[in-house]
Amino acid sequence: MMTISPAPVILIALLAAFTAQAQIRFEEVAQKSNLRFTLRNGATGQFHQVELTAGGVATLDYNNDGCTDIFFTNGAALPSLRKTGPEFHNRLFRNNCDMTFTDVTAEAGLAGEGYSIAAAIGDFDNDGLPDIFVAGVKHNTLYRNLGNGRFADVTVKAGLAGKEWAVSAGWVDYDNDGYLDLFVSNYVVWDPATAPSCGTPQQKFYCHPKSYPGLANQLFHNNHDGTFTDVSKQSGIARHIGKGMGVAVADVDGDGFTDIFVANDSVRNFLFRNQGNGTFEEIGLEAGVALREDGFAIAGMGADLRDFDNDGKPDLVVSGILNDSFLLFRNQGGQPGFEDYAQRSGLLMGTRQFTGWSLGMYDFDNDGWKDIFFALSHLSQLDRYLGRDSALPNRVFRNREGKRFEDVSAAAGRDFQLPAMHRGVAFADFDNDGRLDAVVTVINGPVKLYRNVTPGGAHWLALRLQGRRANRMGLGATVHVHLADGRDLYNLATTAVGYASSSEALVRFGLGASREAESIEVKWPGGLTQRLNNVKAGRIIDIIEEVTP
């Protein structure tokens, strides 16, 4: 156990002054950054169900130049599900390291085929280069990063070609063998030729998810040779039929094995507990995260597993549809057990009138407490039938010392107030100033790039992990930072965040008034623990896993 010294009075005073003054603010800079992308969902007025689920965004440093790039998935023409022109291509934008971007899709070979929805970033072959998995409607693609600015489609060789409707995915080393495996969240059975039609010929609308049979999710084991084996049945994942949307991963019970949460649409959520022997047990009901506190199954969409109260245990946030309210579950430790914390935190009533898609739990003001960003928009049919504008502004909720979340969106800047049909959101520090930014896709509208301009000068620290026995990206590692003022902060390495999206793998900490971390403890997948002392703030540090011969 670590001995905690009494917090110096001066540091407490500085922290209190910072907390009182700081305000999360964003500036929308997509146009001036030359980030020009429009997410096309292929809508034709026929209310094809897939039009609702596009589309995600991913952040990655594909060329390892220290500046984070952006990859967008895109739709296709309907009902053929085929791309018909450049407006439907997936897109990769290279960060020029000056907060401007260049479209490098063609040279990278990433235009793609089929109706793409989600992106997941992970280094599946441990060569130090992030690869891209794209999930979509009956067509998935794995792109291997070749290291020369180009990607190769290795889907067929890898055995990952999809035949279901997938809307999210996440990389996770579920067996701690040092190679990333792949979890795919599948939605419902859908065929444009036989899909039900809802409403009347004069007033069509999108069908409720209950009109479609659900699907099982999939788990693919990495064979260490560029191929994968579908282990969905033997692992127990395929035994559970849902209507999967967002995916979040973390070791929720502290047993050293990564667990998997799936937000389901209008049926109960799943929590797959990793039993450490290659199998999973679905314990959503027992753990208290399957339903809202009143027993209602919300239309779950985005999800994130992170520690909002700094007690060392990952908590869970889930977004839903209008009148659902968004859910917050506090991890009580031990055998996986969560308490519904949405009402006490202020999220329950504060989000009831919203529809949330992607999201992320991050410390946007670097005060040491993780806040929550929600990408919002109602279903488009609300405009036509309920007289309510479907376009919504996004929302950011500030964490008040792990007890409550306060909606501070009104003070987040003029650009932040503009409504749109938002969908995916991914997070990274695009200008390397230590403040986390966000990129948000918009259905049939220009993308939004929110540069974090929060004032206050709070200190920060970011860790770039490199596994040796663990997977190269260190995904699944947990990090504990101890500060001289007595505070303990916790975070984890993951790229599976929100809905259909993937965020940077760096493990970030806001340090508030502290200029250094007194100690940093990294617990790598597989159990090895590594410690650093007296680490100065205001920088990204590389931590390579120490492995004794």
Side-chain angles (χ1 to χ4, degrees):
M1 293 293 291
M2 184 179 298
T3 301
I4 301 176
S5 59
V9 174
I10 187 168
L11 280 177
I12 293 176
L14 285 171
L15 180 61
F18 166 76
T19 301
Q21 296 172 9
Q23 176 59 59
I24 299 171
R25 292 184 62 85
F26 295 99
E27 175 190 10
E28 205 289 297
V29 296
Q31 190 71 18
K32 68 171 69 172
S33 296
N34 198 36
L35 187 66
R36 294 181 172 87
F37 170 76
T38 296
L39 170 63
R40 301 295 183 188
N41 68 347
T44 61
Q46 298 303 306
F47 292 86
H48 293 295
Q49 205 74 7
V50 298
E51 298 164 9
L52 294 174
T53 57
V57 53
T59 58
L60 72 161
D61 184 2
Y62 82 96
N63 55 0
N64 284 340
D65 65 353
C67 301
T68 305
D69 315 296
I70 304 174
F71 175 79
F72 296 99
T73 66
N74 211 346
L78 289 174
S80 69
L81 301 178
R82 295 181 179 177
K83 299 187 185 298
T84 58
E87 73 273 17
F88 287 111
H89 288 171
N90 301 326
R91 303 278 285 280
L92 176 66
F93 287 84
R94 185 186 66 226
N95 189 335
N96 299 319
C97 299
D98 59 0
M99 206 57 182
T100 67
F101 294 82
T102 299
D103 187 339
V104 295
T105 307
E107 62 194 70
L110 288 172
E113 298 294 335
Y115 197 106
S116 303
I117 293 178
I121 305 302
D123 182 1
F124 78 87
D125 52 2
N126 285 336
D127 65 352
L129 298 165
D131 309 299
I132 305 174
F133 177 78
V134 178
V137 184
K138 302 182 180 182
H139 184 92
N140 300 332
T141 308
L142 178 62
Y143 292 104
R144 180 174 179 263
N145 191 334
L146 300 178
N148 58 0
R150 294 190 58 81
F151 289 77
D153 182 342
V154 295
T155 313
V156 174
K157 176 189 174 184
L160 293 176
K163 58 181 180 180
E164 311 291 3
W165 176 2
V167 298
S168 284
W171 292 99
V172 53
D173 183 4
Y174 75 90
D175 55 357
N176 289 341
D177 68 350
Y179 282 79
L180 290 175
D181 312 298
L182 181 66
F183 183 90
V184 179
S185 173
N186 291 319
Y187 187 44
V188 298
V189 177
W190 179 83
D191 187 311
T194 59
S197 178
C198 295
T200 67
Q202 295 75 31
Q203 284 193 324
K204 289 186 177 182
F205 54 82
Y206 294 108
C207 297
H208 190 275
K210 67 184 179 183
S211 302
Y212 304 89
L215 289 170
N217 301 299
Q218 292 171 286
L219 180 64
F220 296 90
H221 179 261
N222 191 327
N223 299 323
H224 309 180
D225 60 0
T227 69
F228 292 78
T229 298
D230 188 339
V231 294
S232 307
K233 290 183 179 179
Q234 54 263 50
S235 67
I237 295 294
R239 283 203 292 268
H240 304 278
I241 304 299
K243 298 178 180 181
M245 301 287 265
V247 173
V249 299
D251 179 4
V252 300
D253 55 359
D255 66 352
F257 291 93
T258 304
D259 311 296
I260 303 170
F261 174 83
V262 179
N264 281 313
D265 188 356
S266 303
V267 296
R268 67 181 183 88
N269 301 320
F270 293 152
L271 177 59
F272 292 105
R273 181 177 179 269
N274 191 335
Q275 301 190 97
N277 59 2
T279 68
F280 290 79
E281 178 187 12
E282 201 290 296
I283 59 165
L285 283 172
E286 297 90 330
V289 298
L291 304 165
R292 201 169 61 191
E293 195 169 35
D294 60 1
F296 181 80
I298 74 165
M301 288 186 275
D304 198 4
L305 272 165
R306 291 185 197 268
D307 184 2
F308 79 85
D309 55 357
N310 284 331
D311 66 353
K313 300 181 288 291
D315 310 298
L316 174 65
V317 60
V318 186
S319 59
I321 203 169
L322 174 68
N323 293 325
D324 278 349
S325 291
F326 304 163
L327 306 184
L328 181 68
F329 298 99
R330 181 176 176 271
N331 192 336
Q332 297 178 296
Q335 287 297 318
F338 292 76
E339 60 174 329
D340 192 321
Y341 207 76
Q343 183 170 355
R344 274 175 287 176
S345 70
L347 277 185
L348 190 74
M349 296 308 297
T351 60
R352 188 169 293 272
Q353 296 305 306
F354 303 146
T355 296
W357 293 85
S358 199
L359 58 85
M361 189 185 294
Y362 291 93
D363 186 356
F364 295 104
D365 54 5
N366 285 331
D367 67 347
W369 300 96
K370 298 177 190 66
D371 316 295
I372 310 178
F373 185 110
F374 294 104
L376 304 183
S377 66
H378 292 311
L379 302 183
S380 57
Q381 60 197 31
L382 289 188
D383 286 354
R384 186 173 180 183
Y385 300 118
L386 299 183
R388 182 183 293 225
D389 193 353
S390 295
L392 293 174
N394 295 311
R395 286 290 189 277
V396 60
F397 284 75
R398 189 178 181 215
N399 188 336
R400 293 296 187 181
E401 299 183 350
K403 297 179 178 63
R404 291 189 59 80
F405 283 91
E406 177 187 0
D407 188 343
V408 295
S409 310
R414 180 183 60 184
D415 300 336
F416 203 72
Q417 315 307 318
L418 301 178
M421 294 296 291
H422 303 107
R423 278 298 187 272
V425 59
F427 303 92
D429 180 7
F430 296 109
D431 54 0
N432 287 328
D433 68 350
R435 293 172 292 190
L436 204 66
D437 312 303
V439 56
V440 187
T441 59
V442 176
I443 295 284
N444 298 318
V447 63
K448 295 185 178 181
L449 177 59
Y450 291 110
R451 180 171 177 258
N452 190 336
V453 293
T454 300
H459 301 289
W460 60 277
L461 192 62
L463 314 181
R464 183 164 42 224
L465 304 180
Q466 182 178 322
R468 295 174 63 196
R469 182 176 297 162
N471 67 88
R472 179 67 177 262
M473 292 182 76
L475 299 188
T478 59
V479 183
H480 171 202
V481 168
H482 178 69
L483 304 179
D485 63 10
R487 289 186 297 152
D488 291 285
L489 311 175
Y490 301 88
N491 208 346
L492 71 154
T494 181
T495 60
V497 180
Y499 167 83
S501 298
S502 191
S503 291
E504 66 170 21
L506 272 68
V507 186
R508 291 188 176 272
F509 294 89
L511 305 183
S514 297
R515 297 180 179 273
E516 72 172 23
E518 187 173 273
S519 66
I520 298 174
E521 189 175 83
V522 180
K523 184 177 180 181
W524 296 89
L528 188 148
T529 298
Q530 192 169 340
R531 183 184 174 101
L532 294 79
N533 295 313
N534 303 318
V535 179
K536 298 294 183 184
R539 60 194 179 119
I540 300 172
I541 63 169
D542 292 288
I543 300 180
I544 300 174
E545 182 182 17
E546 293 180 349
V547 178
T548 54

